[in-house]
Structure formats: C-alpha cells, structure tokens
Amino acid sequence: MGGNKPIVTLVSVSQAKIGLTFINRGASQKCKRCEFYKVCVGNLEVNRVYRIVKVRDRSLPCSLYETEMKVVEVVEAEIDTVVPSKVAVEGAIITYKSPECEDQECENRDICFPEGLFDGDRCKILKVIGSLQCRLGLSLRRVLLQRVRAS
C-alpha cells in the first residue's frame, strides 16, 4: 500500500516530534527559491495531513525564515471521517466521497468533511469506529481511513 511509505521532509525543530501531525498548506514564493525546496515541501502534497514517524539527527538552516529545520520522515496520516453504512467494512478499499449535506451548523461537520481527504481518493478502511447520528437521517458510520496511492 503506497500510503504508508515514509517521505523525507523538513520541519522546524519545535515541531520535530514523533506522532505530531500537520497539514501541508503549500510553499510560499520564497521557499521555491531555496536549495532545500524539493526535500522540504516539494515532495509533499498540498492540503494533505502528515504524521511524523521518525526524527533524524540532521538539521539544516532555513535562511529564508531564519530558523533551524530538522530532517524527519512522515507518512500520510489516517483520517477520522464517515462513510455510508453499506460500505463500512474494515479492510475494504473504497473511493471516498463526502456526504451530500448543506447543514453548515451541524456538530458533525468537521468529521463529515475532514481536511486532507478529497472526493475520488482511494482509501482503505482501517477501522470502523461506530455509528454517527445524522440530523438529516443519513445512514453513516464513523471510520478511520488511510489513502491508498498507486504504486
């Protein structure tokens, strides 16, 4: 499964902690001129959630932001979200589609529309967590998904 192969990147020393998750918001224009761009943010997808799995001993200076950066290994993080009950089977590979819902005030909005996951993503259901009470009556199950990338 391609989703769990570690990717080498750079994070600030203060963020370099195993288990820390972050969303790659993309590089600034300044970053694109840096000699470390490709290893820093150039190999991460924009708006994906990553989890640090290893912190290496090496550090590099970031002259653009005047900070020290640590070399780390990251994987795409698992995403806690919902899927229709009929496809909620642990181990199943599905094509993710967010629910059709216009209720902007719903208390489940963040879990139904999580950051880091997009319609059309192929994902493996790692765990079925349980049912979700939907104010619109949709039959949804809360699950933990891992995006599966083509090998």
Side-chain angles (χ1 to χ4, degrees):
M1 182 166 46
N4 273 336
K5 185 178 178 201
I7 300 166
V8 176
T9 191
L10 302 173
V11 297
S12 67
V13 170
S14 64
Q15 292 177 310
K17 296 173 180 64
I18 292 176
L20 181 122
T21 60
F22 63 93
I23 299 172
N24 176 31
R25 298 289 184 197
S28 72
Q29 288 302 317
K30 278 176 151 181
C31 293
K32 292 179 182 177
R33 298 187 308 262
C34 178
E35 65 182 302
F36 302 120
Y37 171 78
K38 284 190 177 187
V39 73
C40 187
V41 290
N43 57 358
L44 301 179
E45 289 185 48
V46 175
N47 293 323
R48 294 289 184 189
V49 180
Y50 294 93
R51 180 172 33 87
I52 298 173
V53 294
K54 184 176 182 181
V55 177
R56 294 187 178 178
D57 290 334
R58 179 143 184 190
S59 297
L60 297 168
C62 175
S63 58
L64 300 173
Y65 290 99
E66 298 176 357
T67 189
E68 187 178 0
M69 303 295 279
K70 198 78 168 161
V71 178
V72 297
E73 293 179 23
V74 300
V75 294
E76 275 192 49
E78 302 83 7
I79 306 287
D80 187 357
T81 190
V82 297
V83 297
S85 295
K86 64 183 178 188
V87 300
V89 177
E90 284 186 21
I93 304 293
I94 63 165
T95 299
Y96 177 76
K97 178 155 179 16
S98 54
E100 294 191 21
C101 176
E102 299 297 324
D103 187 350
Q104 300 294 322
E105 303 302 317
C106 180
E107 65 273 4
N108 296 319
R109 189 106 186 131
D110 288 345
I111 196 162
C112 289
F113 298 91
E115 289 194 273
L117 203 53
F118 305 100
D119 285 353
D121 283 347
R122 288 183 38 79
C123 300
K124 181 175 184 177
I125 299 175
L126 300 177
K127 182 176 183 177
V128 177
I129 299 168
S131 297
L132 183 90
Q133 287 297 113
C134 174
R135 298 194 314 198
L136 299 179
L138 299 175
S139 180
L140 301 171
R141 302 278 291 187
R142 191 169 167 184
V143 297
L144 197 58
L145 295 182
Q146 175 73 58
R147 186 168 74 116
V148 177
R149 297 188 302 181
S151 302

